[in-house]
Amino acid sequence: MDYIHLKDMQFFGYHGVLAAETTLGQRFRANVSLAVDMTKAGETDDLNHTVNYAEVYALCRDIVEGEPFKLIEALVSKIADSILETYSEKVKGVRVELIKPDPPIHGYYKEVSVEITRGDY
């Protein structure tokens, strides 16, 4: 299988359980990997035979910067499901990692993240 990776996409959203998260908002980062057969795209040099990653970025941005979710588990599932639905003919599987670099947790840590894999990855 071949893969397209979109790494360290950065967005601002209002997701979380705590009032401060839904009022003030916070930064989110996302990594997305798409399992795609790119044989024909490699042979033809034709965008129609692969997935336009600018469109995938826009889809992710619209979801993360859109309707608030309480759980990032739900948010990351929405991203994965939307990618698989939108590109069902080309994307065989998807892995999505959503990172909260500044969650309101007291202590010392770099970040928290949720990662899911859907389809044939």
Side-chain angles (χ1 to χ4, degrees), residues 76-89:
V76 76
S77 291
K78 174 71 174 178
I79 294 169
D81 293 344
S82 294
I83 290 170
L84 288 173
E85 182 180 313
T86 302
Y87 301 99
S88 61
E89 293 182 19

Side-chain angles (χ1 to χ4, degrees), residues 4 47 50-57 87:
I4 295 172
L47 180 60
T50 188
V51 176
N52 183 332
Y53 47 82
E55 293 176 0
V56 175
Y57 173 87
Y87 301 99

